[in-house]
């Protein structure tokens, strides 16, 4: 929250993601050198061989998927950024944790959306064939969220910090409205 520029899109990515990629690569080198395990850093996009990072985070015991459709951790709420790597090792799985702060929450994240992406149910278990729905209850309209992202792109301006570059400041209202990290 105090460093919003870490999430500003600068044409090829964000400063925060660049840092995570560097850390992931350094950990990969360390694991291979010190532990003798082969590693493979995974790209973010599924189309490039990546994985669903939020779901992997839940299965790794990092938190739960919140009503805002974001990974919500005990310590950082939804203010979590993820990268992943494959390890050539048999590790004991952690599994999901018993952590669900959204159960009794008054849902401030759902009402701040400028596009009303959480206003109505758009996903149904019977139609999708499974019970785990986006936004936990099917009330997350990815299309409306993407409309806001397109608006943010249209509103992007030049920011001077060394090089002049067009910077997109994507909407993060649902993330910042979440009180989870402030409850710890």
């Amino acid at each position: 929250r105090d460093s919003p520029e870490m999430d500003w899109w600068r044409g090829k990515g964000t400063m925060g993601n660049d840092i995570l990629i560097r850390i992931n690569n350094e950990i990969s080198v360390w694991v291979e050198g010190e532990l003798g395990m082969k590693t493979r850093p995974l790209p973010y996009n599924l189309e490039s061989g990546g994985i669903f990072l939020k779901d992997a985070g839940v299965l790794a015991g990092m938190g739960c998927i919140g009503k805002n459709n974001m990974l919500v951790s005990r310590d950082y709420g939804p203010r979590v950024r993820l990268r992943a790597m494959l390890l050539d090792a048999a590790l004991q799985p952690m599994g999901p944790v018993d952590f669900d702060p959204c159960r009794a929450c008054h849902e401030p994240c759902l009402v701040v959306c400028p596009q009303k992406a959480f206003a109505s149910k758009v996903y149904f278990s019977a139609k999708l064939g499974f019970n785990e729905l986006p936004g936990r209850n099917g009330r997350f309209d990815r299309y409306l969220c993407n409309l806001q992202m397109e608006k943010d792109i249209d509103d992007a301006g030049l920011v001077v910090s060394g090089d002049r570059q067009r910077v997109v400041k994507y909407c993060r209202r649902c993330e910042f409205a979440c009180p989870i990290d402030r409850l710890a």
Side-chain angles (χ1 to χ4, degrees):
R1 183 187 294 264
D2 296 334
S3 301
E5 67 279 0
M6 298 294 278
D7 278 322
W8 292 350
W9 183 262
R10 302 163 307 151
K12 292 184 178 179
T14 67
M15 188 183 335
N17 194 47
D18 290 347
I19 292 169
L20 290 176
I21 290 170
R22 181 183 48 77
I23 291 169
N24 203 20
N25 289 334
E26 290 172 2
I27 291 172
S28 178
V29 169
W30 181 85
V31 167
E32 289 186 2
E34 294 293 318
L35 304 177
M37 294 180 207
K38 290 185 180 180
T39 67
R40 180 174 165 242
L42 294 174
Y44 184 79
N45 296 321
L46 292 176
E47 302 81 14
S48 303
I51 60 173
F52 288 112
L53 292 173
K54 293 186 303 185
D55 299 307
V58 170
L59 294 174
M62 295 176 68
C64 67
I65 300 296
K67 291 181 182 179
N68 57 9
N69 205 45
M70 299 176 81
L71 175 67
V72 179
S73 79
R74 190 179 312 272
D75 294 329
Y76 303 105
R79 288 165 282 286
V80 177
R81 302 298 179 266
L82 301 168
R83 296 300 300 180
M85 79 172 62
L86 294 175
L87 295 174
D88 185 17
L91 301 175
Q92 186 67 27
M94 296 283 295
V97 294
D98 184 23
F99 171 70
D100 186 0
C102 299
R103 193 174 333 174
C105 184
H106 62 283
E107 304 175 343
C109 60
L110 305 186
V111 298
V112 297
C113 179
Q115 297 294 331
K116 309 287 187 246
F118 302 100
S120 60
K121 189 168 185 168
V122 293
Y123 298 101
F124 300 88
S125 295
K127 187 173 182 179
L128 294 177
F130 50 88
N131 290 328
E132 297 294 323
L133 299 174
R136 296 166 53 136
N137 55 14
R139 286 179 45 205
F140 172 66
D141 192 327
R142 182 172 305 284
Y143 173 75
L144 292 177
C145 188
N146 286 343
L147 282 179
Q148 182 61 43
M149 292 173 72
E150 290 172 18
K151 181 183 180 315
D152 296 338
I153 291 169
D154 291 342
D155 293 345
L158 288 176
V159 172
V160 178
S161 59
D163 297 342
R164 287 178 50 103
Q165 49 188 286
R166 191 167 183 256
V167 175
V168 181
K169 299 175 184 179
Y170 286 112
C171 176
R172 296 173 61 195
R173 289 177 183 94
C174 62
E175 176 186 343
F176 290 145
C178 180
I180 301 309
D181 74 315
R182 294 183 296 272
L183 299 175

